[in-house]
Amino acid sequence: MNELNNRVREYRARDRLSQSELAQRIGASRQTIALIERGDYSPSVVLALKIAEVFAVTVESVFWINKEKESGQDE
């Protein structure tokens, strides 16, 4: 099972942005930002790129996948 993780909340805190301010900058809703931060929503590539651009970092520093090897399956 793969799970998308993120540091959106950490970067928002670093840059002192509210969820609403980040949402406005990327053209999304505050609720979308909240869902992304909780891990309940995986953003599109475009949204992920916009988020990374706001924080002036790479997409990979904001988002990453935790890979868990499922028992009985080869990779």
Side-chain angles (χ1 to χ4, degrees), residues 1-2 67-75:
M1 177 180 201
N2 294 336
K67 295 182 181 179
E68 293 180 14
K69 190 170 184 178
E70 295 181 26
S71 61
Q73 291 189 350
D74 294 327
E75 289 189 32

Side-chain angles (χ1 to χ4, degrees), residues 18-74:
S18 69
Q19 288 179 340
S20 296
E21 289 169 327
L22 176 58
Q24 185 176 23
R25 289 187 187 192
I26 65 168
S29 69
R30 185 208 55 81
Q31 292 86 349
T32 297
I33 301 303
L35 289 169
I36 291 170
E37 288 182 355
R38 285 199 316 255
D40 293 338
Y41 178 75
S42 295
S44 68
V45 173
V46 172
L47 213 53
L49 287 166
K50 287 180 178 182
I51 290 169
E53 183 177 42
V54 167
F55 298 134
V57 296
T58 64
V59 173
E60 294 85 358
S61 67
V62 182
F63 298 97
W64 72 97
I65 295 175
N66 271 356
K67 295 182 181 179
E68 293 180 14
K69 190 170 184 178
E70 295 181 26
S71 61
Q73 291 189 350
D74 294 327

